[in-house]
Amino acid sequence: MGFITTKDMFAKALKSDYAVGAFNVNNMEIIQAIVEAAKAEQAPFILQVSAGARKYAKPIYLVKLVEAAMEDSGLDIVLHLDHGDDFDICKKCVDDGFTSVMIDGSKHSFEENIKITKQVVEYAHSKGVVVEAELGKLAGIEDAVSVDARDATFTHPDEAAEFVAKTGVDSLAISIGTSHGAYKFKGEPWLDFERLQQISALLPNTPLVLHGASTVLPAFVDMCNKYGGNIPGSRGVPEEMIRTASKYGVCKVNIDTDLRLAMTAEIRKIFVEDPAEFDPRKYLGPARDEIQKMVQHKIRNVLGASNRL
Ligand code: G3H
Ligand code: 13P
Ligand code: ZN
């Protein structure tokens, strides 16, 4: 039991038709729910921490909570930095014991992205830590409707091959139509699987990463809206599309919004049904249970039944 990298789990996932779930963590209940779900399903998983999570909870709390989860569960855990903005935050996380970091240079030019990614790869690899980078921009709801817009934002297969060769990065986040948050598509969900297949054909040994992979499960959206929420018109990536992406080289799928929705839906329900309740354990506990159930559902039905330790 210990902190591990993604090397072995991605090698297995690359050869199979499944992907590993990477779940964003922000507090104790979320960490406990994901780890218990993975333990119950005996599935590999990744816990990831964003800059926002670090700001909210303080890095030391998150690292110590994940250490506690590892000891308590007896499971190996990958601790990953999600969307590292620059070399300094990646270095800090490597030094703090993270086993995987993402350098997100997607807002920079191709050349600059290569330059900072290479710098992170050199440092991380010297400490035995793996690196995810990003090429292409995650399209928002209004973006990428036309072919021209897609070409401007989605990952170019040739550039992806050049980027991996020049940086030595361990995995690559690509843009094929997903976006962060609860409003991913205005009309019918659509992902550029042709582009994904081209990328994975050129990079057969590089695990690909799908950000913005939440399904925005309608049951939780409905529950939120029923109990006083206001999130109309939200739409995520259908589960079937995640399964398809996993067949074409996607080894890691990033999920945060579905965790947030599961937690919020349950808390909203309790607040409305029992307005006299004010013990946080009485709503955070059930919220934690709801997250665990949702993660187990994903592991069983979306991330692949063969996805076992
Ligand atoms: O990248 C997006 C993740 O959902 C993290 O979100 O930056 O609000 O923590 P956050
Ligand atoms: P979602 O907003 O779809 O959960 O995506 C999360 C993500 O990509 C974190 O990096
Ligand atoms: Zn992301």
Side-chain angles (χ1 to χ4, degrees):
M1 167 194 86
F3 282 129
I4 55 167
T5 74
T6 49
K7 267 199 165 68
D8 290 346
M9 62 175 73
F10 282 175
K12 265 174 89 178
L14 252 189
K15 285 194 227 125
S16 327
D17 285 350
Y18 65 80
V20 177
F23 302 96
N24 284 74
V25 297
N26 288 276
N27 66 13
M28 182 188 77
E29 284 78 9
I30 298 173
I31 293 171
Q32 289 176 331
I34 297 160
V35 173
E36 286 305 313
K39 186 172 177 174
E41 298 298 326
Q42 284 294 293
F45 67 107
I46 294 165
L47 296 184
Q48 56 189 13
V49 169
S50 69
R54 289 166 63 84
K55 198 166 163 206
Y56 171 74
K58 285 194 179 175
I60 188 166
Y61 283 88
L62 293 172
V63 171
K64 298 281 178 200
L65 283 169
V66 174
E67 272 170 13
M70 185 168 66
E71 243 182 75
D72 182 58
S73 66
L75 295 181
D76 292 329
I77 295 185
V78 176
L79 182 57
H80 174 75
L81 168 67
D82 192 28
H83 294 284
D85 214 30
D86 54 27
F87 176 79
D88 289 344
I89 189 172
C90 292
K91 180 178 183 301
K92 176 90 183 69
C93 288
V94 170
D95 296 344
D96 282 351
F98 282 54
T99 46
S100 175
V101 292
M102 174 187 190
I103 172 70
D104 181 356
S106 61
K107 64 176 181 290
H108 298 295
S109 68
F110 183 62
E111 288 73 24
E112 186 61 20
N113 193 352
I114 288 178
K115 195 172 140 203
I116 58 169
T117 300
K118 235 175 122 178
Q119 194 189 3
V120 172
V121 167
E122 270 162 27
Y123 185 73
H125 282 186
S126 77
K127 306 281 181 190
V129 170
V130 291
V131 181
E132 171 185 328
E134 178 163 327
L135 191 61
K137 292 177 181 58
L138 289 206
I141 197 164
E142 300 292 348
D143 310 329
V145 282
S146 69
V147 175
D148 280 355
R150 273 181 228 149
D151 263 349
T153 51
F154 289 7
T155 310
H156 286 261
D158 292 338
E159 282 188 0
E162 187 184 339
F163 185 88
V164 170
K166 287 190 170 158
T167 57
V169 78
D170 301 279
S171 59
L172 184 69
I174 41 106
S175 165
I176 56 165
T178 60
S179 56
H180 292 124
Y183 301 91
K184 301 187 192 298
F185 305 100
K186 231 179 191 159
E188 282 308 299
W190 182 85
L191 296 184
D192 197 339
F193 285 121
E194 205 181 313
R195 189 178 293 263
L196 175 61
Q197 280 177 276
Q198 288 166 358
I199 297 168
S200 72
L202 290 172
L203 291 169
N205 300 315
T206 302
L208 303 177
V209 180
L210 195 62
H211 281 248
S214 278
T215 294
V216 189
L217 293 155
F220 291 127
V221 173
D222 292 350
M223 212 164 134
C224 282
N225 288 333
K226 178 174 170 193
Y227 294 106
N230 183 23
I231 37 177
S234 52
R235 189 165 289 178
V237 182
E239 296 182 339
E240 190 50 42
M241 287 193 176
I242 301 295
R243 287 190 279 266
T244 305
S246 308
K247 291 187 185 133
Y248 301 145
V250 168
C251 293
K252 173 176 181 266
V253 297
N254 281 14
I255 294 160
D256 188 2
T257 298
D258 281 339
L259 302 168
R260 296 177 181 193
L261 286 170
M263 186 165 206
T264 303
E266 185 62 22
I267 291 174
R268 278 196 174 283
K269 177 169 177 272
I270 292 168
F271 281 0
V272 169
E273 286 184 346
D274 195 353
E277 187 54 73
F278 59 87
D279 178 345
R281 296 168 298 188
K282 298 284 166 48
Y283 52 86
L284 292 176
R288 178 176 58 192
D289 294 342
E290 240 6 86
I291 296 174
Q292 180 178 339
K293 268 193 265 167
M294 188 277 290
V295 173
Q296 286 191 239
H297 160 80
K298 292 227 180 245
I299 291 171
R300 262 186 232 169
N301 303 304
V302 186
L303 302 170
S306 57
N307 185 6
R308 292 291 182 261
L309 291 174

